[in-house]
C-alpha cells in the first residue's frame, strides 16, 4: 500500500489542492509485492531517505526500480519528521519536528545527527534479521531526495558501512570536513542551488 487513508489525508491537507480528494494517495497502486521470493543469495543494499517532512512512500518508484535491478532496498520514515507515519501496531505519529525553526546553527546539525542514528539503527536491524543473509555487507550505499540526500554525507561520516552515497537535490546545510569523504559520493542537482561545502 502506498499510503493509508489517514496518511494520505495528512499529506494532502498541507498541499491544499482544490478538488483533489484527501484519500487519493491511499488509492495509488504500486508494483511492489508482499513476501516476494528473492533471487540469488547476496545483493547490494541501498538505503533511501526522503526529503524534509516527506514520507518514504515518495521514494516508491525509485525503490521498485532499484529492487528490479537486484538491489535490496530499505526506505526510512524518520519518526516525528514526516507528516504521517503508521506503525505496524496501527498507531500514527505526525510531524513534531515541523514546529521547530530550520535554524542553520542548531536545527540542521541535530537533524543530521538524528538521521545518522536512524540509518545506523536500521542497518543494524536489517543485517541482524532474517533479511541480513540477502545483503552483501561490503556493498551498502545510501541516497535520498533533498534533505534525505543531504543527510547521506553525514551518515557516511558516522557509519563506515555505507560505502557510497548520492545526494539528489539536497542542500548541504552543515559544512563537510575539509578532508571530505573517503568513499565515492555523487551530488546531483542544479549548481545554482545545490553546491557542496
Amino acid at each position: 500500500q502506498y499510503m493509508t487513508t489517514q496518511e494520505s489525508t495528512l499529506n494532502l491537507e498541507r498541499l491544499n489542492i482544490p478538488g483533489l480528494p484527501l484519500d487519493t494517495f491511499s488509492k495509488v497502486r504500486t508494483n511492489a509485492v508482499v513476501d516476494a521470493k528473492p533471487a540469488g543469495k547476496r545483493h547490494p543494499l541501498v538505503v533511501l531517505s526522503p526529503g524534509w517532512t516527506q514520507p518514504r512512500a515518495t521514494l516508491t518508484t525509485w525503490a521498485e526500480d532499484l529492487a528490479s535491478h537486484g538491489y535490496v532496498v530499505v526506505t526510512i520514515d524518520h519518526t516525528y519528521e514526516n507528516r504521517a507515519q503508521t506503525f505496524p501496531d496501527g498507531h500514527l505519529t505526525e510531524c513534531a519536528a515541523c514546529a521547530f525553526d530550520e535554524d542553520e546553527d542548531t536545527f540542521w546539525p541535530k537533524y543530521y545527527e538524528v538521521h545518522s542514528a536512524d540509518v545506523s539503527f536500521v542497518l543494524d536491524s536489517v543485517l541482524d534479521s532474517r533479511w541480513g543473509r540477502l545483503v552483501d555487507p561490503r556493498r551498502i550505499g545510501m541516497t535520498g531526495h533533498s534533505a534525505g540526500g543531504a543527510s547521506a554525507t553525514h551518515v557516511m561520516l558516522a557509519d563506515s558501512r555505507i560505502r557510497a552515497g548520492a545526494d539528489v537535490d539536497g542542500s548541504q546545510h552543515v559544512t563537510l570536513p575539509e578532508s571530505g569523504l573517503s568513499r565515492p559520493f555523487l551530488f546531483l542537482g542544479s549548481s545554482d542551488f545545490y553546491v557542496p561545502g
Side-chain angles (χ1 to χ4, degrees), residues 163-181:
R163 304 299 305 155
D167 175 357
V168 179
D169 284 338
S171 297
Q172 292 291 314
H173 295 281
V174 176
T175 303
L176 295 174
E178 282 189 31
S179 61
L181 296 170

Side-chain angles (χ1 to χ4, degrees), residues 45-50 74-79 81 111-128 140-144 147-165 183:
L45 180 139
V46 176
V47 177
L48 297 179
S49 181
V74 175
T75 58
I76 297 180
D77 263 329
H78 298 281
T79 307
E81 178 190 315
Y111 177 89
Y112 294 133
E113 181 184 325
V114 169
H115 274 229
S116 295
D118 284 354
V119 172
S120 292
F121 172 80
V122 167
L123 283 178
D124 289 344
S125 299
V126 169
L127 295 174
D128 291 340
I140 298 175
M142 180 178 173
T143 187
S151 69
T153 56
H154 300 279
V155 174
M156 286 180 71
L157 290 168
D159 195 322
S160 62
R161 293 175 293 184
I162 308 288
R163 304 299 305 155
R183 299 174 306 280

Side-chain angles (χ1 to χ4, degrees), residues 34-84:
V34 175
D35 293 328
K37 184 178 177 183
K41 294 186 178 182
R42 295 275 188 179
H43 303 275
L45 180 139
V46 176
V47 177
L48 297 179
S49 181
W52 168 241
T53 73
Q54 299 300 308
R56 68 179 184 211
T58 60
L59 303 172
T60 297
T61 301
W62 201 354
E64 289 176 340
D65 185 60
L66 285 166
S68 76
H69 286 88
Y71 291 87
V72 173
V73 182
V74 175
T75 58
I76 297 180
D77 263 329
H78 298 281
T79 307
Y80 301 114
E81 178 190 315
N82 59 353
R83 298 287 173 183

Side-chain angles (χ1 to χ4, degrees), residues 85-143:
Q85 176 181 349
T86 306
F87 284 82
D89 67 1
H91 86 275
L92 182 126
T93 61
E94 295 183 39
C95 188
C98 293
F100 294 94
D101 291 330
E102 296 175 34
D103 176 70
E104 293 288 327
D105 296 326
T106 56
F107 179 85
W108 291 107
K110 184 65 174 175
Y111 177 89
Y112 294 133
E113 181 184 325
V114 169
H115 274 229
S116 295
D118 284 354
V119 172
S120 292
F121 172 80
V122 167
L123 283 178
D124 289 344
S125 299
V126 169
L127 295 174
D128 291 340
S129 75
R130 65 184 177 115
W131 304 109
R133 64 182 171 76
L134 297 173
V135 176
D136 180 348
R138 298 165 301 154
R139 296 189 295 161
I140 298 175
M142 180 178 173
T143 187

Side-chain angles (χ1 to χ4, degrees), residues 3-41:
M3 284 187 195
T4 66
T5 302
Q6 196 171 10
E7 289 169 339
S8 177
T9 298
L10 289 169
N11 277 283
L12 285 174
E13 277 178 343
R14 74 182 175 87
L15 296 175
N16 195 24
I17 301 171
L20 184 66
L22 294 178
D23 67 345
T24 297
F25 286 153
S26 68
K27 297 176 181 176
V28 171
R29 296 189 65 192
T30 68
N31 296 302
V33 177
V34 175
D35 293 328
K37 184 178 177 183
K41 294 186 178 182

